[in-house]
């Protein structure tokens, strides 16, 4: 019998680990490792996505334009002597 983590994981969620056989404990550990790996991969993907967005914004020159806009706004708001 082959284990399919996408359909067979429900068999191990409600059972107390103290009542599981050695094979069931191994399957539970495998499920937990796979869940952790999937979560980590998703986290890395989000980080890489935002890194690409930030790099694109930086390379487009939008950061410099925003800085210049703020500086000109602050200069116009400052009291003139």
């Amino acid at each position: 019998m082959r284990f399919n983590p996408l359909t067979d994981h429900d068999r191990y969620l409600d059972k107390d680990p103290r009542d599981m056989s050695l094979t069931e404990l191994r399957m539970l550990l495998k499920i937990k490792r796979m869940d952790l790996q999937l979560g980590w991969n998703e986290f890395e993907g989000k980080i890489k996505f935002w890194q690409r967005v930030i790099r694109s914004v930086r390379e487009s020159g939008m950061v410099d334009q925003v800085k210049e806009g703020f500086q000109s706004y602050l200069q116009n708001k400052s009291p003139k002597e």
Side-chain angles (χ1 to χ4, degrees):
M1 181 174 122
R2 294 202 55 139
F3 174 73
N4 183 350
L6 300 176
T7 59
D8 296 340
H9 68 282
D10 293 333
R11 293 189 303 180
Y12 301 102
L13 294 179
D14 296 331
K15 199 170 185 182
D16 187 6
R18 287 175 270 171
D19 299 332
M20 291 183 182
S21 68
L22 185 58
T23 304
E24 290 173 325
L25 285 171
R26 286 184 181 140
M27 287 295 121
L28 181 63
L29 181 59
K30 187 172 187 167
I31 291 167
K32 296 293 182 182
R33 284 181 181 159
M34 292 173 96
D35 283 342
L36 183 62
Q37 185 65 44
L38 286 172
W40 179 253
N41 290 347
E42 182 181 349
F43 177 69
E44 279 184 324
K46 288 179 181 179
I47 288 175
K48 288 178 183 177
F49 169 78
W50 285 110
Q51 285 175 340
R52 286 191 299 260
V53 168
I54 291 170
R55 184 176 49 237
S56 298
V57 168
R58 234 185 253 144
E59 289 174 357
S60 71
M62 288 176 60
V63 174
D64 296 331
Q65 291 176 355
V66 170
K67 283 181 184 178
E68 290 172 8
F70 277 134
Q71 288 174 351
S72 66
Y73 174 76
L74 292 175
Q75 287 175 354
N76 292 338
K77 283 289 259 188
S78 64
K80 296 180 181 176
E81 296 179 31

